[in-house]
Amino acid sequence: MTHVEQPVEAAAGPAPDARSQPATWRDIAAAYVGLTKPRVIELLLLTTVPVMFFAARGVPPLGLVVATVVGGALSAGSASALNCVYDRDIDEQMRRTRRRALPRHIVSPAAATVFGITLGVLATVVLLVFVNALSAGLALLAEAFYLIVYTMLLKRRTTQNIVWGGLAGCFPALIGWTAVTDSLSWAPVVLFLVVFLWTPPHTWALALRYREDYAGVDVPMLPVVAPAAEVGRQIVIYSVAMVAVSLLLWPVAATGWLYPVAATVLGAVFVAQAVLMWRRSVGTEELSRIRPMELFHSSNLYLSLLFVAVALDPLVTR
């Protein structure tokens, strides 16, 4: 459902082959959970639930929140599991991914496919029955976009893979809104665009750290084909645009004072960090000097705090 990335460090050398010793039921359970990429789900829900508070202009019904969270988590888990099946060949070669379930042969591709499809069906049923058809349709669209447009068509073909493929990760903002209102408006579209513009800086910072991995499997992420200074420049451009768009929510949705203050402060800090990373990258390709993971972790914090402000604004300033 999304392409929000999380770093996964692995020990040097090839991934251990689980066929060399029997896997315990705990290993298998953990492998299936890992297929859903739980950290990605956490970040997705952090953009869904606050929008529900914002749409309700207060506290939304608890049952609706639970149903939306469960349906959204199942949908994201489904997309992640099927992504792991399709990308298992390159996952086995990359340090960041070689300890996933399929490269370690704890789960077979067939079993992972059935698991992913089952999660997708359950997600659709939950959202249809307990939320509404619009939210269920948006979740299905996000899954299809992530799997077909990003994973199958863009990821291995273009440096713009994450720019357009990242659209899938923007849908939780829409789903959170439609879960409460059963309609769309400009406010969730603004938040959709914020996540869209946030995704390249977030992912390119991580890809800069793991560019050798991507190069080794012929995935043309921008840091693979462009100098670090150009990556830094592009990150600054997207960061400035992201902050500018985030401030549009104030007039579009007539927010209180909390959101614009938070968006301004958080945005200024993020842009300053992006500019600092760009300056460090000029004239060098040494990651120890560029320190891209600082910006990666800051990007997670930025998005989390911005959406917390989205949730709190109607509660504090109404």
Side-chain angles (χ1 to χ4, degrees):
M1 187 172 173
T2 185
H3 192 72
V4 177
E5 294 281 0
Q6 294 290 340
V8 180
E9 293 288 354
D17 191 333
R19 291 173 297 189
S20 62
Q21 56 183 1
T24 67
W25 69 268
R26 291 180 186 231
D27 294 332
I28 295 172
Y32 276 102
V33 170
L35 285 173
T36 67
K37 303 180 184 178
R39 294 181 185 176
V40 171
I41 292 176
E42 289 173 11
L43 201 56
L44 285 172
L45 297 182
L46 192 57
T47 60
T48 304
V49 176
V51 175
M52 295 184 72
F53 277 73
F54 191 71
R57 295 292 175 175
V59 181
L62 178 60
L64 181 63
V65 174
V66 171
T68 306
V69 165
V70 170
L74 290 171
S75 178
S78 169
S80 294
L82 295 174
N83 166 265
C84 286
V85 174
Y86 190 86
D87 276 349
R88 63 188 184 276
D89 59 328
I90 61 176
D91 282 351
E92 193 161 2
Q93 301 176 58
M94 296 176 64
R95 288 174 299 161
R96 191 176 62 81
T97 56
R98 63 169 58 137
R99 296 189 65 82
R100 288 176 178 172
L102 290 170
R104 296 178 65 200
H105 307 288
I106 296 178
V107 178
S108 71
T113 300
V114 171
F115 177 64
I117 293 173
T118 301
L119 291 182
V121 171
L122 289 174
T124 303
V125 170
V126 168
L127 292 172
L128 272 175
V129 173
F130 298 105
V131 186
N132 55 55
L134 180 55
S135 297
L138 287 171
L140 277 174
L141 181 59
E143 284 190 59
F145 197 94
Y146 180 56
L147 290 170
I148 298 173
V149 177
Y150 171 69
T151 303
M152 297 180 183
L153 298 180
L154 296 178
K155 183 174 182 178
R156 306 189 194 200
R157 290 181 172 87
T158 173
T159 59
Q160 297 299 300
N161 48 19
I162 194 56
V163 175
W164 300 108
L167 280 169
C170 308
F171 277 83
L174 301 182
I175 294 169
W177 184 274
T178 59
V180 173
T181 67
D182 199 12
S183 64
L184 284 170
S185 72
W186 284 111
V189 171
V190 170
L191 294 171
F192 178 99
L193 292 174
V194 169
V195 180
F196 172 71
L197 293 167
W198 169 87
T199 301
H202 168 81
T203 308
W204 285 337
L206 181 66
L208 192 57
R209 165 67 177 83
Y210 290 100
R211 61 186 172 185
E212 291 181 3
D213 278 2
Y214 286 108
V217 293
D218 295 323
V219 174
M221 298 291 284
L222 183 64
V224 173
V225 301
E230 175 59 19
V231 176
R233 189 181 74 87
Q234 291 286 334
I235 284 175
V236 170
I237 291 172
Y238 274 94
S239 299
V240 171
M242 173 191 71
V243 174
V245 170
S246 73
L247 293 172
L248 288 178
L249 188 65
W250 181 19
V252 165
T255 71
W257 61 266
L258 178 63
Y259 175 80
V261 169
T264 300
V265 172
L266 292 170
V269 172
F270 189 85
V271 170
Q273 290 178 313
V275 170
L276 180 60
M277 195 197 83
W278 178 28
R279 292 179 62 183
R280 288 198 301 251
S281 68
V282 174
T284 184
E285 298 292 323
E286 293 182 23
L287 294 179
S288 60
R289 291 181 58 187
I290 301 170
R291 303 198 293 277
M293 293 304 288
E294 290 182 5
L295 185 67
F296 172 82
H297 292 300
S298 294
S299 69
N300 284 333
L301 185 60
Y302 166 84
L303 196 69
S304 301
L305 292 178
L306 184 74
F307 275 82
V308 167
V310 168
L312 291 180
D313 186 87
L315 299 175
V316 173
T317 60
R318 64 180 176 179

